[in-house]
């Protein structure tokens, strides 16, 4: 199976006054096409910095990130923005829905940047909302939905444009245990159905266990890279 993401000796150093803070100290790994990979670590481990760089939101101090043959760290701001719109979906802890828009409008939003015509955007968003169990909530705004429903809208928005990679940053941090299970099973199911690579970022080992593979960070370094029991059994 081909690698979607290849990270080579990635370093990120922040300058704070006269001090240098090493957020990542030389990280290397690969993620295969369709793989569900969890970046696990406590606060300050470097996992959020790594996510931002994988998504092209921050530039490496050194090292490289190759995604489908493209060195994203070498792209200028305009090119990396276009690349992100075409290839990446995001699921956020705080949902990040636009309050004035309906669920349907929120899900259709990424398709505008893809140049999809209005009629097709609406149909694609409708199909995705039905897939996540929100067919009856399409016209509801975020204030009219529970946290779990809002996160389902966020998942639908992340997957609607068929991205190569979906990043989920603490996707269940604001949800109860029952809703967490439903949301995680939904993301895993959609990732497997469409063969999207899914990168989960979390501090929660129970969430990590939904992944095929768990990369654990501590102090900006990888301390373990392991397959889950389910993956080993395949």
């Amino acid at each position: 199976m081909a690698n979607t993401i290849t990270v080579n000796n990635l370093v990120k150093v922040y300058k704070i006054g006269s001090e240098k803070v090493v957020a990542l100290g030389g990280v290397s790994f690969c993620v295969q096409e369709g793989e569900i990979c969890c970046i696990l670590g406590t606060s300050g481990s470097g996992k959020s910095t790594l996510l931002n760089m994988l998504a092209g939101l921050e530039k490496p101090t050194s090292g490289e990130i190759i995604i489908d043959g493209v060195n994203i760290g070498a792209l200028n701001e305009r090119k990396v923005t276009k690349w992100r719109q075409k290839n990446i979906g995001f699921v956020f802890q705080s949902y990040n829905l636009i309050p004035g828009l309906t669920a349907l409008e929120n899900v259709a939003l990424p398709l505008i940047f893809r140049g999809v015509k209005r009629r097709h955007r609406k149909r694609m968003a409708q199909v995705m909302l039905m897939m996540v169990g929100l067919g009856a909530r399409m016209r509801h705004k975020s204030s009219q939905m529970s946290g779990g429903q809002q996160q389902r809208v966020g998942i639908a928005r992340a997957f609607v444009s068929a991205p190569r990679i979906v990043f989920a940053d603490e996707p269940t941090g604001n949800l109860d245990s029952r809703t967490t299970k439903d949301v995680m099973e939904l993301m895993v199911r959609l990732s497997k159905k469409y063969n999207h690579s899914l990168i989960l970022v979390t501090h929660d080992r129970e969430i990590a266990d939904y992944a095929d593979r768990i990369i654990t960070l501590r102090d900006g370094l990888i301390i373990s890279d392991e397959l889950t029991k389910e993956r080993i059994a395949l």
Side-chain angles (χ1 to χ4, degrees), residues 48-196:
S48 295
T49 299
L50 178 56
L51 171 66
N52 288 341
M53 287 198 288
L54 291 175
L57 297 170
E58 292 189 46
K59 297 285 187 182
T61 301
S62 63
E64 60 183 8
I65 303 166
I66 309 296
I67 299 182
D68 290 333
V70 177
N71 184 352
I72 63 168
L75 299 178
N76 62 35
E77 192 60 36
R78 181 181 62 83
K79 288 182 178 180
V80 79
T81 298
K82 290 184 69 174
W83 171 83
R84 196 161 44 238
Q85 290 170 349
K86 184 178 179 181
N87 294 284
I88 302 299
F90 289 95
V91 180
F92 302 95
Q93 177 179 347
S94 55
Y95 322 133
N96 283 22
L97 303 182
I98 297 177
L101 300 184
T102 64
L104 185 66
E105 291 166 338
N106 268 287
V107 174
L109 194 59
L111 300 172
I112 295 175
F113 302 109
R114 290 284 195 95
V116 179
K117 293 183 178 180
R118 186 173 183 274
R119 177 167 54 89
H120 295 307
R121 292 199 306 264
K122 181 179 179 181
R123 181 56 186 159
M124 291 169 70
Q126 287 173 332
V127 169
M128 188 56 67
L129 281 167
M130 287 188 285
M131 288 187 66
V132 302
L134 291 178
R137 298 276 180 171
M138 294 187 188
R139 303 295 176 185
H140 287 62
K141 296 182 179 180
S142 56
S143 61
Q144 299 170 303
M145 292 184 285
S146 68
Q149 290 168 341
Q150 289 182 66
Q151 192 60 295
R152 285 174 177 267
V153 175
I155 292 168
R157 180 184 57 191
F159 282 90
V160 70
S161 56
R164 289 283 290 153
I165 306 164
V166 173
F167 293 105
D169 186 7
E170 299 283 6
T172 62
N174 291 333
L175 304 177
D176 60 46
S177 58
R178 172 68 180 274
T179 309
T180 289
K181 182 175 183 293
D182 293 342
V183 163
M184 289 306 305
E185 289 177 351
L186 173 61
M187 282 197 294
V188 168
R189 185 166 69 249
L190 289 173
S191 297
K192 296 299 185 184
K193 178 179 177 65
Y194 295 110
N195 200 37
H196 297 325

Side-chain angles (χ1 to χ4, degrees), residues 183-218:
V183 163
M184 289 306 305
E185 289 177 351
L186 173 61
M187 282 197 294
V188 168
R189 185 166 69 249
L190 289 173
S191 297
K192 296 299 185 184
K193 178 179 177 65
Y194 295 110
N195 200 37
H196 297 325
S197 299
L198 174 62
I199 310 298
L200 295 167
V201 176
T202 186
H203 67 280
D204 188 337
R205 179 70 200 207
E206 290 187 9
I207 299 302
D209 285 338
Y210 283 91
D212 300 320
R213 177 171 161 220
I214 303 169
I215 296 173
T216 304
L217 289 182
R218 181 185 296 161

